[in-house]
Amino acid sequence: MIALPLAEIATLGTQVAAHGAIRIAEFAGDEVFEMLIGIAILVYEAQPG
């Protein structure tokens, strides 16, 4: 059985949380970009002429 010291468990949790936050930010950035493109297309198509 492998035992980790408490200090290493806290560090591991912080690294996992930071990695998760970065991954979520990547996905959120993609979604925001796609939403802005969709809005731009909608506005362009709504213009007369």
Side-chain angles (χ1 to χ4, degrees):
M1 182 174 171
I2 299 174
L4 291 173
L6 290 177
E8 289 184 22
I9 292 173
T11 303
L12 179 63
T14 302
Q15 291 172 356
V16 170
H19 179 73
I22 291 169
R23 295 296 295 170
I24 289 172
E26 288 176 357
F27 290 123
D30 289 342
E31 289 179 14
V32 169
F33 179 75
E34 290 176 7
M35 186 185 323
L36 289 174
I37 295 300
I39 292 171
I41 292 171
L42 182 66
V43 169
Y44 178 77
E45 290 178 355
Q47 295 294 324

